[in-house]
Amino acid sequence: MKSSTRDQIRGKFHELKGKVKAKAGQVTNDPNLKAEGLVEHRAGKVQKKLGPLNRCSRSKWTGLAQYAFPLGAEAETRRTSRQLAVNAARREGGTAMISRTLISAFCVGLASLPAVAAPPAATLSAFERYAAVVEGRIRSDYSTTKFLRILPDESKWARVHKGEALVESAQALGLKPDIAIPDGQVQHWVAAAFLPNATLDAVLPRLRNYNNRSRYMKPEIIASRLKDHHGDVFEVYLRLVEKSIVSGVFDLDLQVVYRTERHGRLAINSRSTSVVEVSDALAPVGSAARDQGLLWALNHYWRILQMDGGLYIECEALVLSRPTPFMLGWIARPIIARAARESLIKTVHATILIMNSPDASASAESRSRDVQRVGDMTLSEVCQSASVP
């Protein structure tokens, strides 16, 4: 195949890939991804035009590139073009939905991946090292001013205190360990919220009532029970339903440890000790089905600070899953990240609902209404939905 033909084919590929990337940036509300797509789309068009001119001198190639990117210097051109595209994406608001065909192809691609018998031992070992680094950092933060990681920023503190829930990636916060996960990937996010008119003494019994957990965390958690309890260590079973991208049902065994280092500070470490994917919501407990690799481990690290007439709450989440296939990675990564982010927000909202749960005399009907509402409620509505005595 002639080099000019190869350039034309590659140009068409990058042109199409850039177009799809830009649409993915719109649906995920990611201006950087959209900008990257627009730049790649433009570069692909240039490469396609350069194909027939393959025999031209290097200077002519450069001249045509400068014609396509008028600023000339390649690095400066990429930077400027990217910034212009980012600004354009922000002006448009990134609200347009990605095409149904693209979403369908993406979901079919994930669902058709070959089943795996179990997560590879090397993957689990690397995740354990990753989690150990996170837990070591959290332990060192217990008695310091870094007990909360999002909220030391005064502007974020004010936003959370007013009722806003914040979520940031661990990488953006500088908390992501530099540990590779072979044959796997970790979603690592931190969320912060504020529960007014609450105390640790009031919410602690409700948090520890694991037999009642599924009432307030449906439809994600459809069954829950306390398996064992020794002091501040709780062994818990949950049945989790995942519907964000590709559906899956999982039986989780968790070890939950409560720790109080100083007055007004509570840390809760929840680590999965077993994750089994089952066929459906009615399957017998632990009856393993086809493992799609959607969830191999799930750890939540909660930090709660009693201050300003309420409770500041932070939750750091680690989610281990199989890696995204290379051909789907460029579109899958932002979609998976957004799903993990939204899942953490739902978890925080549901936990606040648990902290605000009515007493034993409340009717099952009112509890059912609470459960149905939690998925669509804002943080302020969750906080106001019930009062803490």
Side-chain angles (χ1 to χ4, degrees), residues 7 30 203 388:
D7 284 329
D30 186 342
V203 304
V388 176

Side-chain angles (χ1 to χ4, degrees), residues 134 137-138 188-190 299-301 303 314-318:
V134 172
R137 185 252 305 158
I138 291 174
H188 189 173
W189 295 82
V190 185
N299 293 2
H300 284 140
Y301 304 100
R303 298 180 288 276
E314 279 193 358
C315 180
E316 190 165 346
L318 309 183

Side-chain angles (χ1 to χ4, degrees), residues 271-282:
R271 305 177 84 253
S272 61
T273 57
S274 172
V275 178
V276 177
E277 184 167 0
V278 297
S279 58
D280 56 66
L282 300 178

Side-chain angles (χ1 to χ4, degrees), residues 140-215:
S140 67
D141 289 345
Y142 279 164
S143 58
T144 71
T145 56
K146 295 180 180 179
F147 182 68
L148 301 180
R149 283 299 186 135
I150 291 181
L151 296 179
D153 184 306
E154 291 186 4
S155 62
K156 294 177 182 178
W157 188 287
R159 289 165 60 190
V160 169
H161 189 264
K162 290 179 180 178
E164 185 178 350
L166 300 182
V167 183
E168 295 192 24
S169 69
Q171 185 168 0
L173 293 170
L175 303 179
K176 186 177 178 64
D178 186 18
I179 297 177
I181 309 293
D183 300 317
Q185 63 178 329
V186 175
Q187 289 295 323
H188 189 173
W189 295 82
V190 185
F194 180 69
L195 176 60
N197 305 317
T199 66
L200 286 174
D201 289 341
V203 304
L204 198 53
R206 293 163 179 163
L207 289 174
R208 291 179 167 182
N209 186 4
Y210 290 101
N211 291 326
N212 205 35
R213 189 59 57 98
S214 59
R215 289 188 178 183

Side-chain angles (χ1 to χ4, degrees), residues 220-240:
E220 286 78 20
I221 303 297
I222 59 174
S224 61
R225 71 169 183 270
L226 178 63
K227 296 174 61 178
D228 200 2
H229 169 218
H230 298 286
D232 290 330
V233 180
F234 295 75
E235 305 292 338
V236 179
Y237 161 80
L238 301 176
R239 174 156 287 186
L240 170 68

